[in-house]
Amino acid sequence: MSPATTPEPPYYAVIFTSRRRAAPGDGYEATAERMIELARARPGFLGVESARDEIGITVSYWDDLDAIAAWKADGEHLLAQAEGRDRWYARYAVRIARVEKEYGFTREE
Amino acid sequence: MSPATTPEPPYYAVIFTSRRRAAPGDGYEATAERMIELARARPGFLGVESARDEIGITVSYWDDLDAIAAWKADGEHLLAQAEGRDRWYARYAVRIARVEKEYGFTREE
Protein backbone atom coordinates (compact mmCIF):
# COMPACT_ATOMS: atom_id res chain seq x y z
CA MET A 1 0.00 0.00 0.00
CA SER A 2 1.16 3.50 -0.91
CA PRO A 3 -0.20 6.96 -0.19
CA ALA A 4 -3.22 7.29 -2.49
CA THR A 5 -3.10 9.32 -5.68
CA THR A 6 -6.21 11.46 -5.78
CA PRO A 7 -7.56 14.17 -8.12
CA GLU A 8 -7.64 17.90 -7.48
CA PRO A 9 -9.84 18.76 -4.49
CA PRO A 10 -12.62 19.06 -3.61
CA TYR A 11 -13.49 15.43 -2.92
CA TYR A 12 -14.45 13.52 0.21
CA ALA A 13 -12.61 11.43 2.78
CA VAL A 14 -13.97 8.84 5.20
CA ILE A 15 -11.61 8.55 8.17
CA PHE A 16 -12.25 5.28 10.00
CA THR A 17 -10.25 4.93 13.22
CA SER A 18 -10.58 1.83 15.35
CA ARG A 19 -9.23 0.01 18.35
CA ARG A 20 -9.51 -3.76 18.26
CA ARG A 21 -10.66 -5.91 21.16
CA ALA A 22 -8.03 -7.87 23.02
CA ALA A 23 -9.71 -11.10 21.89
CA PRO A 24 -11.36 -10.03 18.68
CA GLY A 25 -12.46 -13.37 17.23
CA ASP A 26 -11.33 -14.59 13.87
CA GLY A 27 -12.19 -13.51 10.36
CA TYR A 28 -11.12 -9.92 10.83
CA GLU A 29 -8.23 -9.77 8.39
CA ALA A 30 -10.06 -11.51 5.57
CA THR A 31 -13.10 -9.27 5.97
CA ALA A 32 -10.99 -6.11 6.18
CA GLU A 33 -9.25 -7.04 2.92
CA ARG A 34 -12.54 -7.95 1.28
CA MET A 35 -14.07 -4.57 2.23
CA ILE A 36 -11.17 -2.73 0.61
CA GLU A 37 -11.56 -4.86 -2.51
CA LEU A 38 -15.30 -4.10 -2.64
CA ALA A 39 -14.77 -0.38 -2.01
CA ARG A 40 -12.24 -0.17 -4.85
CA ALA A 41 -14.83 -1.54 -7.28
CA ARG A 42 -17.51 1.00 -6.40
CA PRO A 43 -18.48 4.05 -8.47
CA GLY A 44 -17.04 7.24 -7.04
CA PHE A 45 -14.14 5.51 -5.29
CA LEU A 46 -10.88 7.48 -5.56
CA GLY A 47 -8.38 5.70 -3.32
CA VAL A 48 -7.69 4.16 0.08
CA GLU A 49 -4.91 4.23 2.67
CA SER A 50 -4.69 1.98 5.72
CA ALA A 51 -2.27 1.39 8.58
CA ARG A 52 -2.54 -0.36 11.94
CA ASP A 53 -0.41 -0.60 15.05
CA GLU A 54 -2.02 0.24 18.43
CA ILE A 55 -4.97 1.65 16.52
CA GLY A 56 -6.06 1.21 12.94
CA ILE A 57 -6.68 4.11 10.57
CA THR A 58 -8.28 3.58 7.17
CA VAL A 59 -8.94 6.62 5.00
CA SER A 60 -10.97 6.14 1.84
CA TYR A 61 -11.49 8.87 -0.73
CA TRP A 62 -14.66 9.42 -2.74
CA ASP A 63 -16.16 11.70 -5.37
CA ASP A 64 -19.10 12.79 -3.27
CA LEU A 65 -21.39 12.08 -0.31
CA ASP A 66 -23.75 9.97 -2.42
CA ALA A 67 -20.96 7.51 -3.22
CA ILE A 68 -20.12 7.29 0.51
CA ALA A 69 -23.76 6.73 1.51
CA ALA A 70 -24.19 4.02 -1.13
CA TRP A 71 -21.07 2.20 0.06
CA LYS A 72 -22.23 2.41 3.68
CA ALA A 73 -25.53 0.79 2.65
CA ASP A 74 -23.96 -2.04 0.60
CA GLY A 75 -25.29 -5.40 1.79
CA GLU A 76 -21.98 -7.18 2.34
CA HIS A 77 -20.57 -4.04 3.95
CA LEU A 78 -23.54 -3.83 6.34
CA LEU A 79 -22.88 -7.41 7.47
CA ALA A 80 -19.21 -6.55 8.06
CA GLN A 81 -20.19 -3.44 10.04
CA ALA A 82 -22.45 -5.54 12.28
CA GLU A 83 -19.74 -8.15 12.78
CA GLY A 84 -17.30 -5.36 13.66
CA ARG A 85 -19.58 -4.19 16.46
CA ASP A 86 -20.32 -7.76 17.60
CA ARG A 87 -16.79 -9.09 17.61
CA TRP A 88 -13.83 -7.08 16.43
CA TYR A 89 -13.86 -3.56 17.78
CA ALA A 90 -13.59 -2.08 21.25
CA ARG A 91 -14.22 1.33 19.78
CA TYR A 92 -14.34 3.13 16.47
CA ALA A 93 -14.99 6.55 15.01
CA VAL A 94 -16.10 7.41 11.48
CA ARG A 95 -15.55 10.94 10.22
CA ILE A 96 -16.75 12.22 6.89
CA ALA A 97 -14.77 15.18 5.64
CA ARG A 98 -14.55 17.36 2.55
CA VAL A 99 -10.95 17.56 1.32
CA GLU A 100 -10.30 21.18 0.42
CA LYS A 101 -6.56 21.19 -0.18
CA GLU A 102 -3.86 18.66 -0.97
CA TYR A 103 -0.10 18.86 -1.44
CA GLY A 104 2.71 16.40 -1.26
CA PHE A 105 6.26 15.35 -1.82
CA THR A 106 7.89 12.58 -3.85
CA ARG A 107 11.61 11.93 -3.55
CA GLU A 108 13.58 12.08 -6.76
CA GLU A 109 16.42 9.61 -6.78
CA MET B 1 -3.05 5.88 21.50
CA SER B 2 -6.84 5.69 21.13
CA PRO B 3 -9.28 7.02 18.56
CA ALA B 4 -9.50 10.76 19.30
CA THR B 5 -12.45 12.28 21.11
CA THR B 6 -13.50 15.36 19.18
CA PRO B 7 -16.34 17.90 19.48
CA GLU B 8 -19.43 18.14 17.31
CA PRO B 9 -18.52 18.91 13.67
CA PRO B 10 -17.67 21.04 11.86
CA TYR B 11 -13.95 21.08 12.58
CA TYR B 12 -10.88 20.35 10.47
CA ALA B 13 -8.63 17.34 9.87
CA VAL B 14 -5.09 17.20 8.51
CA ILE B 15 -4.49 13.77 6.99
CA PHE B 16 -0.75 13.14 6.66
CA THR B 17 0.09 9.92 4.83
CA SER B 18 3.70 8.91 4.30
CA ARG B 19 5.95 6.17 3.06
CA ARG B 20 9.37 5.99 4.69
CA ARG B 21 12.62 5.51 2.82
CA ALA B 22 14.27 2.10 3.04
CA ALA B 23 17.25 3.72 4.83
CA PRO B 24 15.65 6.70 6.46
CA GLY B 25 18.45 7.91 8.74
CA ASP B 26 18.04 8.22 12.46
CA GLY B 27 16.11 10.65 14.59
CA TYR B 28 12.76 9.94 12.99
CA GLU B 29 10.94 8.42 15.96
CA ALA B 30 12.04 11.08 18.41
CA THR B 31 11.06 13.89 16.06
CA ALA B 32 7.70 12.31 15.24
CA GLU B 33 6.90 12.06 18.94
CA ARG B 34 8.10 15.60 19.57
CA MET B 35 5.86 16.95 16.79
CA ILE B 36 2.81 15.28 18.33
CA GLU B 37 3.74 16.73 21.72
CA LEU B 38 4.10 20.22 20.21
CA ALA B 39 0.86 19.92 18.25
CA ARG B 40 -1.06 18.92 21.39
CA ALA B 41 0.07 22.12 23.10
CA ARG B 42 -1.12 24.45 20.34
CA PRO B 43 -4.28 26.57 20.41
CA GLY B 44 -7.04 25.04 18.31
CA PHE B 45 -5.72 21.49 18.61
CA LEU B 46 -8.51 18.93 19.12
CA GLY B 47 -6.87 15.52 18.89
CA VAL B 48 -4.52 13.26 16.97
CA GLU B 49 -4.48 9.66 15.74
CA SER B 50 -1.48 7.87 14.28
CA ALA B 51 -0.65 4.38 12.99
CA ARG B 52 2.14 2.96 10.87
CA ASP B 53 2.82 -0.35 9.12
CA GLU B 54 3.69 -0.26 5.38
CA ILE B 55 2.64 3.38 5.33
CA GLY B 56 2.11 5.86 8.13
CA ILE B 57 -1.11 7.79 8.64
CA THR B 58 -1.37 10.63 11.14
CA VAL B 59 -4.63 12.53 11.38
CA SER B 60 -4.72 15.65 13.52
CA TYR B 61 -7.90 17.56 14.29
CA TRP B 62 -8.18 21.33 14.62
CA ASP B 63 -10.69 24.08 15.31
CA ASP B 64 -10.10 25.93 12.06
CA LEU B 65 -7.77 26.59 9.13
CA ASP B 66 -5.93 29.37 10.98
CA ALA B 67 -4.81 26.93 13.68
CA ILE B 68 -3.56 24.55 10.98
CA ALA B 69 -1.67 27.28 9.12
CA ALA B 70 -0.04 28.48 12.35
CA TRP B 71 1.09 24.95 13.22
CA LYS B 72 2.50 24.44 9.72
CA ALA B 73 4.54 27.67 10.16
CA ASP B 74 5.89 26.79 13.63
CA GLY B 75 9.70 27.05 13.64
CA GLU B 76 10.52 23.65 15.11
CA HIS B 77 7.86 22.07 12.88
CA LEU B 78 9.37 23.73 9.79
CA LEU B 79 12.75 22.19 10.63
CA ALA B 80 11.14 18.78 11.03
CA GLN B 81 9.33 19.17 7.70
CA ALA B 82 12.64 19.95 5.96
CA GLU B 83 14.33 16.99 7.61
CA GLY B 84 11.46 14.78 6.51
CA ARG B 85 12.05 15.74 2.89
CA ASP B 86 15.83 15.46 3.24
CA ARG B 87 16.00 12.14 5.03
CA TRP B 88 12.95 10.27 6.16
CA TYR B 89 10.29 10.13 3.50
CA ALA B 90 10.09 8.55 0.06
CA ARG B 91 6.73 10.18 -0.42
CA TYR B 92 4.01 11.94 1.49
CA ALA B 93 0.64 13.57 1.00
CA VAL B 94 -1.03 16.19 3.17
CA ARG B 95 -4.78 16.67 2.87
CA ILE B 96 -6.73 19.35 4.69
CA ALA B 97 -10.37 18.47 5.11
CA ARG B 98 -13.45 19.89 6.80
CA VAL B 99 -15.10 17.24 8.99
CA GLU B 100 -18.83 17.47 8.39
CA LYS B 101 -20.13 14.40 10.18
CA GLU B 102 -18.93 12.02 12.86
CA TYR B 103 -20.34 8.90 14.46
CA GLY B 104 -18.88 6.03 16.37
CA PHE B 105 -19.17 2.97 18.52
CA THR B 106 -17.89 2.07 21.98
CA ARG B 107 -18.27 -1.46 23.29
CA GLU B 108 -20.12 -1.80 26.58
CA GLU B 109 -18.75 -4.61 28.66
Side-chain angles (χ1 to χ4, degrees):
Chain A
M1 175 156 298
S2 267
T5 301
T6 40
E8 281 292 301
Y11 54 86
Y12 281 83
V14 179
I15 307 164
F16 175 66
T17 312
S18 62
R19 192 157 49 77
R20 298 276 302 278
R21 299 175 71 185
D26 60 4
Y28 170 78
E29 297 294 344
T31 303
E33 281 173 28
R34 172 72 177 154
M35 290 306 112
I36 285 182
E37 183 190 325
L38 284 180
R40 284 189 195 280
R42 293 199 64 88
F45 175 87
L46 299 175
V48 63
E49 299 164 338
S50 190
R52 175 173 293 280
D53 48 34
E54 285 175 65
I55 61 172
I57 304 176
T58 298
V59 189
S60 57
Y61 300 102
W62 302 86
D63 273 341
D64 54 39
L65 294 173
D66 287 347
I68 293 169
W71 167 232
K72 188 186 178 191
D74 170 85
E76 196 170 340
H77 190 198
L78 285 173
L79 289 174
Q81 291 167 46
E83 199 151 33
R85 289 186 293 269
D86 283 349
R87 296 208 290 168
W88 297 322
Y89 296 120
R91 184 170 164 201
Y92 65 70
V94 178
R95 294 179 175 93
I96 297 172
R98 183 177 186 270
V99 179
E100 298 183 348
K101 189 173 172 186
E102 175 180 346
Y103 58 92
F105 163 79
T106 300
R107 178 171 301 279
E108 301 183 23
E109 58 185 3
Chain B
M1 177 156 298
S2 266
T5 301
T6 40
E8 282 292 301
Y11 53 87
Y12 280 83
V14 179
I15 306 164
F16 175 66
T17 312
S18 61
R19 192 157 48 77
R20 296 278 300 279
R21 298 176 72 187
D26 60 5
Y28 170 77
E29 297 292 345
T31 303
E33 280 173 29
R34 172 74 176 151
M35 289 306 112
I36 285 181
E37 182 190 325
L38 284 179
R40 284 187 194 281
R42 292 199 65 86
F45 175 87
L46 299 175
V48 62
E49 300 164 338
S50 190
R52 175 173 294 280
D53 48 34
E54 287 175 62
I55 61 172
I57 305 175
T58 298
V59 189
S60 56
Y61 300 101
W62 301 86
D63 273 340
D64 53 38
L65 293 172
D66 288 345
I68 293 169
W71 167 231
K72 188 186 179 191
D74 170 85
E76 195 171 340
H77 190 197
L78 284 173
L79 290 174
Q81 291 168 46
E83 199 151 32
R85 288 186 294 269
D86 283 349
R87 296 208 291 167
W88 297 322
Y89 296 120
R91 184 170 165 202
Y92 66 70
V94 178
R95 295 180 175 92
I96 297 172
R98 183 178 186 270
V99 178
E100 298 183 347
K101 190 174 171 184
E102 173 180 349
Y103 59 92
F105 164 78
T106 301
R107 177 171 303 277
E108 300 181 27
E109 59 186 359

